[in-house]
Amino acid sequence: MSVVKNALPEADLKVVGEALQGALVDLVDLSLVAKQVHWNVVGPRFRSVHLQLDEVVTSARTHSDVVAERASALGVTPDGRASTVASTTAITGVPEGWIKDADAVRILVDALGVVINRMRERIQATDEPDPITQDLLIGLTGDLEKHHWMFQAESA
């Protein structure tokens, strides 16, 4: 049952709802991965990587809220529960303990790459059914690609 109605046909709403839910999971997990690495990074580039990780966390959290609110506006209930995120994420887990700065950069390059690829798939999927959602996904993917570029430059 949905208390919120929208103008999208049911088939389009299914595609858009799945895209938004997947984006929410990826963004929540990205924020958790970046924060875990942030707390445990060590090495000569500690400070710059530590601060850069917080920028990713802020972006991911901001975008996850926007994505969840878009889903709600369409009548799709967003699910950001820990169990849902853990069971549906595509991001590789973070190792336990201290993480050398070079490894931290690699972890973020990999995590951002996974999320960006999945976002690009969602951009394609939402093209016809809902250009508004597609626009939202395009914007946040551009932001993630900026972080991806910066972390790749860290490891050059």
Side-chain angles (χ1 to χ4, degrees):
M1 174 187 102
S2 178
V3 296
V4 177
K5 306 295 182 203
N6 67 75
L8 290 178
E10 196 62 35
D12 289 349
L13 184 59
K14 182 177 180 347
V15 170
V16 173
E18 288 172 1
L20 289 167
Q21 178 58 37
L24 178 61
V25 164
D26 285 350
L27 291 165
V28 168
D29 198 29
L30 180 61
S31 73
L32 293 171
V33 165
K35 198 48 124 168
Q36 182 66 25
V37 175
H38 167 88
W39 292 325
N40 290 289
V41 67
V42 294
R45 297 181 315 184
F46 163 80
R47 182 161 172 73
S48 64
V49 173
H50 183 78
L51 295 174
Q52 195 173 351
L53 287 160
D54 260 346
E55 292 174 8
V56 173
V57 171
T58 299
S59 289
R61 287 179 178 169
T62 299
H63 291 307
S64 66
D65 193 49
V66 171
V67 164
E69 288 178 356
R70 177 67 183 157
S72 293
L74 294 174
V76 176
T77 57
D79 187 354
R81 296 174 297 165
S83 60
T84 301
V85 172
S87 67
T88 57
T89 187
I91 301 173
T92 304
V94 176
E96 239 181 86
W98 301 116
I99 301 169
K100 294 291 292 173
D101 50 10
D103 294 332
V105 169
R106 181 193 45 77
I107 289 167
L108 262 292
V109 167
D110 292 348
L112 285 160
V114 166
V115 173
I116 289 165
N117 287 335
R118 289 170 47 112
M119 290 299 179
R120 286 186 163 277
E121 291 169 4
R122 294 177 187 116
I123 289 167
Q124 291 291 331
T126 56
D127 177 32
E128 289 295 320
D130 187 23
I132 297 166
T133 296
Q134 183 192 44
D135 185 57
L136 182 150
L137 295 172
I138 289 168
L140 73 86
T141 302
D143 191 37
L144 295 176
E145 287 178 341
K146 181 179 177 184
H147 290 298
H148 194 229
W149 156 58
M150 290 182 170
F151 274 103
Q152 288 178 78
E154 276 279 338
S155 62

